[in-house]
Amino acid sequence: MITVASGSAQADDPSDEERARALFFEAHEAADAGDLEHACKTFAASLALFRRGSTLLNLGRCHRGLGQLASALAHFEEAAALLEQGDPRLEEAQAQVEELQRLAPRVTIRLPDELPSTLRISLDDRFVATHELAVPLRLDAGEHRLTTEADGYDPRVTSFTVKDGDDRVVVLELGERQLPLPPPAPPALLPPPLPPVVIVPAPPPDTGLQVPTWSWVTGALGIAAVAGSIPLYVDYRHVVDRQLELCGGSLEACDPTPPGSYDPGPDNQRRDRDLGFGTGLVVLGGGAIAAAIIGVVLAPEDDDVVVDARGLSVRF
């Protein structure tokens, strides 16, 4: 049976009390409709906003209806502490506490003699401090998971099942001790760096010939002369093409159209000058190059040069 009554602790915010009241009556409607799961969740939400003895009492009845005796016992114990003397509900809360203390499962967690300083214990995914395990725990009937973790140990999960009225002992076990990691290997000694490689171009082979200096100079001047004739020949070709165009295609008898529109005299002088200078430079350059070649061919051999077995010349 779900009842509505007073007996409460003050809320920090008046609006919290109003929301708690609305949730309280919503939970009543769910309980009356037989939806105890929703009723329990809604009573718990109302209690989180505003703690009332009536909410605790109804929440205890709701959990007992679901067979969750340990949860029901905790709510009835708190309701009995909150309700005032003379409240007619106090007697019911105390009677529920007395009965459920016999029926709700009791589990004693037995700890090992030596506990790692980094031990972490969780019961059904809720962290549990070791001092909480000094007294028996009240757990709802069903399956539970006890997990231990510690530095240097593998995680260990112990599953156990309790039924209403049970009073049992569960031994807390640690996982296997992990082997210590080997020390890191010392850094490998690297060989000293190799000296930088300097690439030196090989000297030109020593042919053993004593080529006179004038041959090099004469050859260079000959090449320069031939190169200098090229612009003159280019200009000569340009003048010739211009005259052929203006003179009707004949350089011998220029007949410009209209008559008197073109005087070929200046272009004739320019053409002759380009041809003369260009030809002279080619002849001069060709002679210089020929002289240089003769100087190289007739250069005497150096008697101080010896060729070794590899074909390399060695000067003493």
Side-chain angles (χ1 to χ4, degrees):
M1 178 178 64
I2 306 296
T3 61
V4 181
S6 60
S8 63
Q10 293 294 326
D12 295 334
D13 186 347
S15 61
D16 288 347
E17 183 177 357
E18 293 301 323
R19 291 198 298 272
R21 185 184 301 276
L23 291 170
F24 182 84
F25 286 109
E26 179 186 339
H28 265 288
E29 294 178 2
D32 291 340
D35 188 358
L36 294 182
E37 289 280 357
H38 181 65
C40 285
K41 292 180 181 179
T42 311
F43 275 130
S46 174
L47 187 66
L49 293 171
F50 189 42
R51 304 195 75 77
R52 298 174 58 91
S54 59
T55 307
L56 287 163
L57 196 63
N58 285 305
L59 191 55
R61 292 168 180 163
C62 185
H63 279 294
R64 180 158 189 178
L66 291 175
Q68 300 167 348
L69 303 187
S71 298
L73 174 60
H75 294 307
F76 282 125
E77 286 177 336
E78 188 176 356
L82 188 60
L83 293 172
E84 298 178 356
Q85 292 292 332
D87 191 314
R89 298 164 300 170
L90 178 59
E91 183 178 350
E92 178 193 353
Q94 292 172 338
Q96 290 279 11
V97 170
E98 183 178 355
E99 181 180 5
L100 290 175
Q101 283 180 340
R102 297 193 306 271
L103 297 178
R106 286 165 50 99
V107 177
T108 301
I109 306 298
R110 181 177 297 168
L111 301 177
D113 295 334
E114 296 184 3
L115 295 178
S117 59
T118 58
L119 178 63
R120 297 176 295 278
I121 305 172
S122 59
L123 179 60
D124 299 330
D125 299 325
R126 181 184 69 86
F127 173 76
V128 180
T130 52
H131 68 268
E132 297 181 62
L133 304 179
V135 296
L137 302 178
R138 294 286 188 176
L139 301 179
D140 291 327
E143 185 174 352
H144 299 273
R145 297 169 67 252
L146 186 65
T147 305
T148 58
E149 296 177 285
D151 294 345
Y153 292 83
D154 293 331
R156 179 65 177 267
V157 178
T158 303
S159 298
F160 60 94
T161 303
V162 295
K163 297 177 295 184
D164 292 339
D166 277 356
D167 186 358
R168 62 172 299 181
V169 176
V170 176
V171 178
L172 182 73
E173 297 180 350
L174 299 176
E176 295 292 332
R177 182 181 287 274
Q178 298 172 350
L179 297 177
L181 296 176
L189 297 178
L190 300 178
L194 297 176
V197 178
V198 179
I199 300 176
V200 179
D206 190 350
T207 61
L209 298 179
Q210 296 181 349
V211 180
T213 304
W214 66 264
S215 295
W216 301 112
V217 175
T218 303
L221 292 176
I223 294 173
V226 172
S229 68
I230 295 175
L232 296 174
Y233 279 119
V234 172
D235 187 63
Y236 169 80
R237 186 68 257 175
H238 171 72
V239 173
V240 170
D241 291 341
R242 183 169 179 268
Q243 286 186 316
L244 289 174
E245 180 182 356
L246 296 175
C247 294
S250 175
L251 297 182
E252 299 298 332
C254 184
D255 184 15
T257 303
S261 61
Y262 169 64
D263 181 7
D267 281 344
N268 288 336
Q269 293 177 2
R270 178 179 171 185
R271 183 188 64 190
D272 295 340
R273 183 177 63 250
D274 288 343
L275 182 59
F277 277 111
T279 303
L281 288 175
V282 170
V283 172
L284 180 61
I289 293 173
I293 294 174
I294 293 173
V296 172
V297 173
L298 299 180
E301 293 188 0
D302 190 349
D303 295 336
D304 292 336
V305 174
V306 176
V307 179
D308 63 9
R310 296 173 297 171
L312 301 178
S313 61
V314 181
R315 183 182 299 275
F316 291 111

